[in-house]
Amino acid sequence: MADLSIEFAGIKSPNPFWLASAPPTDKAYNVERAFEAGWGGVVWKTLGEDPAAVNVSSRYSAIYDHNGEVSGFNNIELITDRSLEINLKEIEAVKKAWPDRALVVSLMVPCEEESWKKIVKLVEQTGADGLELNFGCPHGMPERGMGAAVGQVPEYVEMVTRWCKTYSKLPVIVKLTPNITDIRFSARAAKRGGADAVSAINTINSITGIDLDKMSARPMVDGKSTHGGYCGPAVKPIALNMVAEIARDTETMGLPISGIGGISNWRDAAEFISLGSGSVQVCTAAMIYGFRIVTEMQQGLSNWMDSKGYKKISDFQGLAVPNTTDWKYLNMNYKVVADIDDDKCIGCGRCYIACEDTSHQAIDRKVREDGSVAFEVIEDKCVGCNLCQITCPVDSCIKMEQKDADKPYMNWTQDPRNPYKDAS
C-alpha cells in the first residue's frame, strides 16, 4: 500500500488531504469531527483582531449542473465571527488532542506591523504547526486593508510576509488571490518576503446568478446582494493553471505549493500534486457531501498510486510540470485526426452538427440504404481540434489518431511560417 504521509514546508501530516480555511474549520467541534473522519490536516478558519467580524444571514449560493450537482459555490461569509480568545483556546486544545495532524491557522489583520506581530505571537503559543496568511478574501473588509486588498499588491505581500517571518518561528504559507492579472508576481513577492510556501487559489470574485423576479443577485440579504468568493469544481481549471504557473516559473520553482480549487475526489488531488502541489486543500466538496469523503479520497489515491508503482506522494509530485509549457514551444508537426468507430456510433449526429456549424466541416454525413446514418471524417479537412470527441456522448466512440508521426519536432519559434521567427 502506498504511503500517503507528507511533510509540507516542515509540517508533517498523515496524508495530503487538508480542509481549507472556511466554515468547516470554524471551531473545535468541526475540526475534531474532521480528524476523526481521517483528514490529514486543517487550516483553521481565518482569525482576526477583536472585536470579531459580524456576518450577515443568507451567505451562500450555487450553480448546478444538469444532474443537479453543485458545480460552483458562492460565499459572502467573512472571517471568523467568534472572539480571538475562544479560537486560540480551542486551537491549543485540538492540537494537544491530535498531535499527529497538521493544524495551520489562517490569519487576516490590518496591514500594520504591530497587528501582525501581536497575532502571530499569540498563535505561536497555541502549539499550531504553521500560519497561513489570508491575502485572498475577495469580498469583505478591504476597508481594514485586509484580504485581496493586500494580495493584489505584490509589495504588500512581500512586506507582510516578512513581518510574519520576523516575528514567528512557525512556517508561513501565503494564500494567494486569483483576482489578479498574473499570480506569479504575488508568488514571487511571497518568496522574497521569506514565505515557506504558498497556497493557491483563494476564491474568485463572482455573482452566481440573478433572481429575475426580485432583480437581485444570490445570496439575497433583504433584497440586496454583493459579489462573493466562487469555488467548487467550476474553478478547478483556473486553479490548476495558476498552480502550474507558480510551479514552472523560474523565480518560484521549488517553492512548496498547497493546491486549492475544486478538489472533490482523489483524481483531482492527484492532478494538483502532479503539477507540484505538496498538499491539497478541500472545502466545497466537504460542505456538500460531509467529512467522510476523505475516506474515498485516501483509498482512491492509494489504489491509483499502487497501480502506477508510486510508493509515496513525492514519487509523482510535479511530474506534469515539465510537460506544461508555453504555446510557442508546442510541436507544430504533431497532427491528430478524428476516427469514428462505426460499431459504437449511435447516429445522434452531435459530432456532425458541431463540426458543420462551428468548426471545420470535416465530417461527412451519409445515409445508408436501410435509412440509417453514418458519419465519416474527411481527413484533409480535419485539424484535430477534439470538438467532435468532446461532444460525442459515447465513451471511446471517437478517438484522435496521430498522423505523420515521422516528422521531426518543430516549435513555433522554429517554424518558417512564423513571420517573427528570428525575434522569437
Side-chain angles (χ1 to χ4, degrees):
M1 178 179 285
D3 178 9
L4 298 185
S5 66
I6 61 166
E7 183 169 339
F8 178 80
I11 302 169
K12 293 183 178 180
S13 174
N15 63 65
F17 299 105
W18 295 4
L19 283 173
S21 168
T25 62
D26 185 42
K27 53 185 175 292
Y29 178 83
N30 301 73
V31 172
E32 294 207 88
R33 281 180 62 83
F35 285 159
E36 288 167 0
W39 291 88
V42 303
V43 182
W44 201 279
K45 185 172 170 65
T46 306
L47 309 186
E49 294 181 329
D50 286 332
V54 179
N55 278 297
V56 295
S57 180
S58 186
R59 304 176 186 180
Y60 310 141
S61 62
I63 289 178
Y64 303 88
D65 64 21
H66 294 302
N67 296 318
E69 301 287 348
V70 171
S71 59
F73 192 86
N74 185 40
N75 172 19
I76 65 170
E77 186 169 295
L78 303 179
I79 64 174
T80 183
D81 51 16
R82 304 189 312 141
S83 75
L84 183 59
E85 180 183 7
I86 290 173
N87 274 296
L88 292 172
K89 284 182 178 178
E90 290 188 1
I91 290 167
E92 182 175 9
V94 171
K95 185 58 191 176
K96 285 181 178 177
W98 297 87
D100 67 322
R101 306 303 170 93
L103 201 165
V104 176
V105 179
S106 176
L107 301 174
M108 189 167 78
V109 295
C111 200
E112 299 166 0
E113 187 171 359
E114 281 303 312
S115 294
W116 283 100
K117 177 181 179 181
K118 179 180 178 181
I119 200 164
V120 299
K121 291 289 187 184
L122 291 171
V123 172
E124 201 170 64
Q125 293 170 17
T126 66
D129 296 303
L131 310 172
E132 184 179 77
L133 313 186
N134 185 351
F135 293 160
C137 185
H139 42 276
M141 314 181 86
E143 73 282 354
R144 300 193 199 179
M146 295 160 62
V150 175
Q152 290 170 339
V153 184
E155 292 80 6
Y156 292 171
V157 172
E158 180 179 352
M159 178 178 68
V160 177
T161 303
R162 185 169 286 112
W163 289 343
C164 294
K165 287 300 295 180
T166 298
Y167 298 117
S168 176
K169 296 177 182 177
L170 293 177
V172 171
I173 305 166
V174 175
K175 190 170 189 177
L176 302 176
T177 178
N179 302 304
I180 192 168
T181 304
D182 191 334
I183 200 168
R184 292 175 298 179
F185 290 102
S186 299
R188 292 167 186 170
K191 186 175 181 180
R192 287 195 302 269
D196 297 281
V198 294
S199 53
I201 58 173
N202 209 321
T203 53
I204 300 170
N205 273 329
S206 70
I207 291 177
T208 50
I210 301 294
D211 185 317
L212 293 177
D213 293 318
K214 299 181 179 179
M215 285 298 170
S216 178
R218 303 183 185 92
M220 226 176 293
V221 181
D222 193 24
K224 306 288 185 183
S225 190
T226 186
H227 66 92
Y230 195 53
C231 52
V235 310
K236 177 186 153 189
I238 299 168
L240 284 172
N241 174 62
M242 291 190 172
V243 165
E245 289 291 279
I246 297 167
R248 68 191 190 91
D249 182 48
T250 55
E251 294 186 39
T252 54
M253 196 176 293
L255 182 66
I257 305 168
S258 186
I260 314 170
I263 298 169
S264 304
N265 52 55
W266 71 265
R267 185 178 294 276
D268 295 334
E271 291 177 12
F272 273 86
I273 294 169
S274 74
L275 281 174
S277 297
S279 70
V280 291
Q281 296 186 33
V282 179
C283 173
T284 305
M287 293 180 73
I288 301 300
Y289 302 111
F291 289 153
R292 293 292 171 185
I293 62 169
V294 75
T295 300
E296 185 177 329
M297 287 178 166
Q298 290 184 72
Q299 290 175 348
L301 184 59
S302 179
N303 291 341
W304 174 78
M305 288 173 63
D306 287 344
S307 72
K308 295 293 184 180
Y310 299 132
K311 303 297 183 184
K312 53 188 184 298
I313 296 293
S314 58
D315 286 350
F316 73 97
Q317 182 183 353
L319 289 187
V321 175
N323 295 324
T324 308
T325 188
D326 296 335
W327 186 94
K328 64 183 178 181
Y329 297 124
L330 297 177
N331 185 3
M332 305 303 292
N333 279 333
Y334 180 78
K335 180 177 175 61
V336 291
V337 170
D339 181 66
I340 301 172
D341 187 334
D342 258 351
D343 294 333
K344 293 182 178 179
C345 178
I346 60 175
C348 68
R350 287 178 61 176
C351 62
Y352 171 77
I353 293 168
C355 188
E356 192 71 13
D357 285 356
T358 68
S359 197
H360 294 82
Q361 298 76 50
I363 297 179
D364 190 19
R365 180 180 183 273
K366 295 181 177 180
V367 180
R368 299 188 182 101
E369 291 183 2
D370 62 1
S372 62
V373 179
F375 299 95
E376 186 176 298
V377 174
I378 306 169
E379 284 199 15
D380 291 343
K381 290 185 176 182
C382 181
V383 300
C385 69
N386 306 328
L387 180 59
C388 59
Q389 186 183 51
I390 291 169
T391 59
C392 181
V394 180
D395 186 43
S396 300
C397 178
I398 301 179
K399 294 182 179 180
M400 308 307 293
E401 302 289 348
Q402 186 177 356
K403 304 292 181 179
D404 303 325
D406 57 333
K407 287 189 176 182
Y409 167 82
M410 178 185 68
N411 65 49
W412 185 239
T413 70
Q414 303 161 332
D415 196 320
R417 295 169 295 182
N418 179 1
Y420 303 102
K421 178 171 70 72
D422 296 334
S424 297

